[in-house]
Amino acid sequence: MLFFSMPTFLQNVPIIFYTAIGLILLYWVAFFVQDRFFLSTSSEAPDPEFVRDSARVVVRLGKDNYREMLDNVADAASYCGLTFSEAEQILDEEIESLISDQEDWPKVTEVDSLNTVFSNLEILGYFTGGGMVDDPGHEVSKARRLEKLAKRKGQKTLGYIFYPRDYLEEVVLNGGSVDFWYGLTRRKTSQEEELRVMNDLNAALKEQGLTPEWDGTLKSHLTLPINWQVRWDENRAKSD
């Protein structure tokens, strides 16, 4: 009977070396199989509706220009196995759909009223970041820096109020409520000061004919049911 005999120089190599080599090979095989599986499933089962929803969201949010919207939709298309041209076509169709739909909208939409609310809140002394923000944590940090700067100048700020963009996807697609972030920039605050922020936001919304949901206590978060309608702005269109 023949037996396999390991060369002497290999016998002197620590066992941990072979263990490491084995783990590296196992990881490589697992990564290769997962990568092949992911590519095959994404290319075999494209989902145009996912891409269309992505296009509808960026078009109807009313914030990005054409290039930014197309980058977003193209990413979704690539994930679903669709081409760049197909992504561009879907985006253009959603823009045309918005332009058609807005013909039946009221002269002043609820989003128009919400924009007026934030203009008024800024006049009162609140930091709003323009209303809709992409990164809430960054905006809170920015509000705190501005509060310190205002204090040095002898000015007084009341706090911050805005709403994150990420929370609006469901509102755009299926309806829902705007979820606000609000608070004070100082670390130590009283309940009365915190309630003042909520009362100011509540009053500003009602003044524009909107119907916020809040029971008047700190325990209840203030939200706003809204019909999200933002008209197409030609400044967002494809540039030549």
Side-chain angles (χ1 to χ4, degrees):
M1 180 178 294
L2 296 176
F3 293 93
F4 174 75
S5 178
M6 181 179 293
T8 303
F9 75 92
L10 290 178
Q11 294 177 7
N12 295 328
V13 177
I15 189 66
I16 191 172
F17 174 79
Y18 298 109
T19 303
I21 293 296
L23 289 174
I24 291 172
L25 289 174
L26 182 62
Y27 173 80
W28 182 85
V29 170
F31 177 82
F32 177 78
V33 171
Q34 181 184 26
D35 188 55
R36 288 293 298 272
F37 175 77
F38 173 78
L39 289 175
S40 63
T41 53
S42 63
S43 60
E44 290 173 4
D47 184 3
E49 286 308 309
F50 172 75
V51 182
R52 189 165 296 280
D53 283 348
S54 299
R56 177 170 288 258
V57 168
V58 293
V59 168
R60 297 192 178 239
L61 272 179
K63 189 169 185 178
D64 298 336
N65 61 37
Y66 190 88
R67 173 51 58 185
E68 292 167 333
M69 292 188 293
L70 183 56
D71 287 344
N72 186 295
V73 178
D75 286 344
S78 176
Y79 176 79
C80 294
L82 301 181
T83 66
F84 183 86
S85 296
E86 289 172 317
E88 190 170 23
Q89 180 180 349
I90 290 173
L91 176 60
D92 291 342
E93 289 172 355
E94 284 302 316
I95 292 173
E96 290 302 318
S97 175
L98 170 59
I99 293 173
S100 176
D101 289 350
Q102 69 187 26
E103 294 179 1
D104 298 324
W105 290 0
K107 183 177 180 180
V108 178
T109 69
E110 292 182 356
V111 179
D112 292 333
S113 298
L114 182 59
N115 291 336
T116 301
V117 166
F118 276 92
S119 296
N120 293 339
L121 288 171
E122 287 185 356
I123 293 173
L124 282 178
Y126 284 99
F127 172 81
T128 70
M132 182 196 303
V133 302
D134 293 320
D135 186 344
H138 172 75
E139 296 300 327
V140 172
S141 298
K142 184 176 180 180
R144 286 176 176 153
R145 292 195 301 270
L146 292 176
E147 191 272 338
K148 291 179 181 178
L149 181 61
K151 187 175 181 180
R152 295 193 194 106
K153 296 180 178 180
Q155 301 170 348
K156 185 177 181 181
T157 58
L158 299 178
Y160 60 86
I161 302 173
F162 50 75
Y163 55 99
R165 170 180 176 151
D166 286 349
Y167 293 2
L168 293 175
E169 180 172 340
E170 183 66 21
V171 177
V172 172
L173 293 176
N174 302 309
S177 300
V178 169
D179 189 9
F180 297 100
W181 279 42
Y182 42 77
L184 297 156
T185 51
R186 290 177 288 106
R187 300 292 182 181
K188 294 182 179 181
T189 61
S190 66
Q191 290 189 351
E192 290 76 12
E193 289 175 314
E194 293 173 13
L195 274 173
R196 184 202 64 210
V197 176
M198 301 176 77
N199 276 313
D200 285 349
L201 173 57
N202 189 53
L205 292 168
K206 288 185 174 180
E207 184 179 350
Q208 296 303 316
L210 299 171
T211 55
E213 294 181 348
W214 181 49
D215 67 7
T217 69
L218 286 174
K219 294 181 179 180
S220 173
H221 194 73
L222 193 158
T223 61
L224 176 69
I226 193 168
N227 184 11
W228 194 268
Q229 295 175 324
V230 180
R231 288 182 175 81
W232 176 251
D233 183 349
E234 287 301 326
N235 290 326
R236 302 172 63 204
K238 183 190 303 185
S239 57
D240 297 329

